[in-house]
């Protein structure tokens, strides 16, 4: 079996669902169920004996060690994290705790467990650490895309906490020989994406007749990857990645934020037209994110060349699938819009000075 951390979050639940759809190897899913974790994402697995959910904290090293002793996984896929840049600006403490201290305690527990293994089990054990392209900082318009050799220049507390965790993982391989794998991925999108992030926020706000907040001039560029493609990349790296290596994962889909928002409006205009006018009329430019990175772009040639992974989904097909999923899953959307979500919207958006899009 494998141990996944953060498997009730956006990427985590997609990963667990994809894993169990393609393999009968059991997943032990360790998740604290913070505001971002949602067991409803996994309700189709309720009767599946290959899914063992454990509520717990990755910072609790004793608890993690007990889990490892009890289940004896052949691999750990560590993706539990605080993941939202805007939240890291409002309150960095949780990011330091979960992303840095949490990764440290996962590494310590993994090192002790791995040291106790022998023979093939020791040889084949892997610790896969899921990270982000944000550790590399920001690019100018014509700069080449991030490679695995691009120096780290994290700009937000979130990115800095992920960079720190990447360094810890690297050091555990270098110093102790722990068989680690690190992936640095670009922006994911798809089903079960919590509506604090751009794409689901815009879909949910559009349907509710609310404004669609675009930070600054909307010309920041992100490289978008459909979440199932990321899950396939993780399976590939876990199976065939070389211990100690890092792999960049991306979709070759660079878009400005304004383009993304306009695309979402156009799809909604077609699939669920407003009584009058276009959803584009709801676009509102708001005060920029402090320290906002201008452009991310991933050079994913290493994983393609060495491991044969390539994304299947184009941005056009993936974004349409995503919008359709949100239209078909109104119940899920309602359920995640709890009081805590409304408090967050108030904190992040009410204070921003707004000016209408012309
Ligand atoms: P998410 O915020 O949707 O989910 C995070 C999950 O971790 C939640 O289920 C939460 O309950 C759990 N969690 C948080 N703190 C925990 C703790 N202390 N102990 C146990 N569980 C805890 O995040 P996501 O978008 O699915 O991202 C998953 C991973 O991928 C993160 O490491 C993130 O940095 C990385 N990543 C995300 C993206 C993206 O576009 N979303 C891109 C690249 C990398
Ligand atoms: O690049 C990978 C990263 O992508 C992951 O490591 C993070 O976990 C993930 O959250 C994501 O970070 P971003 O900050 O790029 O994602 P977000 O969806 O928050 O924002 C995408 C872009 O849209 C960004 O340039 C900010 C902008 N934005 C975002 C929101 C929420 C807006 O213009 N308006 C908004 O309301």
């Amino acid at each position: 079996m494998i141990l996944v951390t953060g498997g009730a979050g956006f990427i985590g639940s997609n990963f667990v669902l994809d894993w169990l759809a393609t393999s009968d190897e059991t997943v032990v899913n360790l998740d604290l169920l913070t505001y971002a974790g949602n067991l409803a994402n996994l309700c189709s697995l309720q009767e599946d004996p290959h899914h063992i959910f454990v509520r717990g904290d990755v910072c609790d090293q004793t608890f993690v060690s007990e889990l490892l002793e009890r289940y004896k996984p052949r691999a750990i896929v560590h993706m539990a994290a605080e993941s939202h840049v805007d939240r890291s600006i409002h309150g960095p403490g949780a990011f330091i705790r979960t992303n840095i201290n949490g990764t440290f305690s996962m590494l310590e527990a993994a090192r002790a467990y791995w040291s106790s293994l022998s023979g093939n089990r020791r040889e084949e054990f892997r610790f896969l650490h899921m990270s982000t392209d944000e550790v590399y900082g920001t690019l100018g318009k014509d700069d080449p895309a991030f490679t695995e050799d691009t120096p780290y220049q994290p700009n937000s507390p979130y990115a800095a906490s992920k960079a720190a965790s990447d360094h810890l993982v690297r050091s555990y391989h270098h110093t102790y020989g722990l068989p680690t794998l690190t992936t640095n991925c670009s922006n994911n999108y798809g089903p079960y994406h919590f509506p604090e992030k751009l794409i689901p926020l815009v879909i949910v706000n559009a349907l509710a007749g609310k404004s669609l907040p675009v930070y600054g001039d909307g010309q920041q560029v992100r490289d978008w990857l459909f979440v199932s493609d990321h899950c396939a990349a993780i399976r590939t790296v876990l199976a065939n990645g070389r211990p100690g290596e890092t792999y960049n994962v991306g979709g070759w889909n660079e878009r400005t934020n304004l383009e993304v928002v306009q695309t979402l409006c156009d799809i909604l205009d077609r699939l669920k037209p407003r009584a009058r006018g276009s959803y584009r009329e709801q676009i509102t430019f708001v005060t920029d994110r402090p320290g906002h990175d201008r452009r991310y772009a991933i050079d994913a040639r290493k994983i393609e060349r060495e491991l044969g992974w390539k994304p299947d989904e184009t941005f056009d097909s993936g974004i349409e699938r995503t919008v359709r999923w949100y239209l078909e899953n109104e119940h899920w959307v309602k359920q995640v819009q709890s009081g805590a979500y409304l408090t967050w919207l108030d904190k992040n958006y009410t204070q921003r000075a707004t000016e209408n899009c012309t």
Side-chain angles (χ1 to χ4, degrees), residues 200-221:
L201 180 95
V202 164
I203 298 171
V204 167
N205 277 15
L207 293 170
K210 294 187 187 166
S211 65
L212 311 180
V214 173
Y215 295 165
D217 63 3
Q219 294 308 305
Q220 304 81 8
V221 173

Side-chain angles (χ1 to χ4, degrees), residues 9-11 31-32 34 37 57-58 79 83 130-131 158 162 188:
F10 161 49
I11 298 172
D31 196 298
L32 188 57
T34 67
D57 190 342
V58 294
M79 56 179 104
S83 68
M130 183 180 287
S131 191
Y158 163 69
K162 292 297 290 187
N188 285 217

